[in-house]
Amino acid sequence: PDSGLRPGDLLVVTGTMGDHGFAVLAVRHGLSLSGDLRSDVAPLNGLVRAVLDAAPAGVSAMKDPTRGGLASALHEMAKKSGVGILLEEPAVPVAPAVRAAAELVGIDPLHVANEGKAILGVRPESLDAVLAALRSHPLGHDAAVVGRCLAERSGSVVLDTGVGRRL
């Protein structure tokens, strides 16, 4: 479920964000964008099984960041779990082609669909095992810790841009 987060849990994404949404946007609107924009559509069952085998009690919550992207999924998880979330924007993996397309069209990759990625809430003591399992799987080599759960600001996501913070 996506509602088991507790203060202190870490948030891990299994790979780069925004790939699917920008690939679809480019094709749908006939955009001639440089770079390699490809959908991330993939079955996640093998990746999830590897993580759960490596750290059976280490994953507190899990969600796919499809419609609404990472930002929407984190808001849902924070609300359902009754925690605040601090998202470290510089830590969010975004492929160079997606970053370039996002800047060109003015769309934040944090709000763009993904089809082959997951967000995991991870207990701190299980982080190393979870990251090792993710990074040893072909779909998880870009896995990254992107945030942490807070006792304060329940139901909210605070974005730390590296320069300042905002809701």
Side-chain angles (χ1 to χ4, degrees):
D2 59 356
S3 60
L5 297 173
R6 296 189 309 222
D9 283 354
L10 300 165
L11 294 157
V12 175
V13 294
T14 61
T16 54
M17 295 287 104
D19 300 340
H20 178 75
F22 278 101
V24 170
L25 177 83
V27 170
R28 202 175 271 169
H29 295 286
L31 302 177
S32 297
L33 301 172
S34 62
D36 190 19
L37 289 172
R38 291 178 187 235
S39 173
D40 61 357
V41 171
L44 294 177
N45 57 325
L47 179 66
V48 169
R49 174 56 40 216
V51 169
L52 295 177
D53 287 347
V59 176
S60 58
M62 192 178 311
K63 189 164 187 67
D64 61 330
T66 52
R67 307 301 174 255
L70 179 61
S72 178
L74 290 176
H75 275 90
E76 289 176 25
M77 293 173 82
K79 185 174 181 177
K80 288 179 181 179
S81 299
V83 298
I85 290 178
L86 178 62
L87 177 63
E88 305 283 348
E89 186 176 36
V92 177
V94 178
V98 169
R99 189 169 308 284
E103 289 175 10
L104 181 67
V105 299
I107 297 175
D108 187 340
L110 298 179
H111 295 276
V112 175
N114 303 274
E115 292 292 339
K117 305 291 173 23
I119 306 165
L120 308 175
V122 179
R123 304 285 189 232
E125 64 275 9
S126 298
L127 181 63
D128 291 341
V130 168
L131 286 175
L134 287 170
R135 291 177 179 158
S136 67
H137 190 281
L139 296 177
H141 58 84
D142 290 322
V145 178
V146 298
R148 68 181 189 277
C149 297
L150 312 170
E152 60 273 4
R153 303 207 64 94
S154 176
S156 297
V157 177
V158 176
L159 180 69
D160 187 329
T161 65
V163 178
R165 292 183 176 182
R166 63 182 167 87
L167 284 175

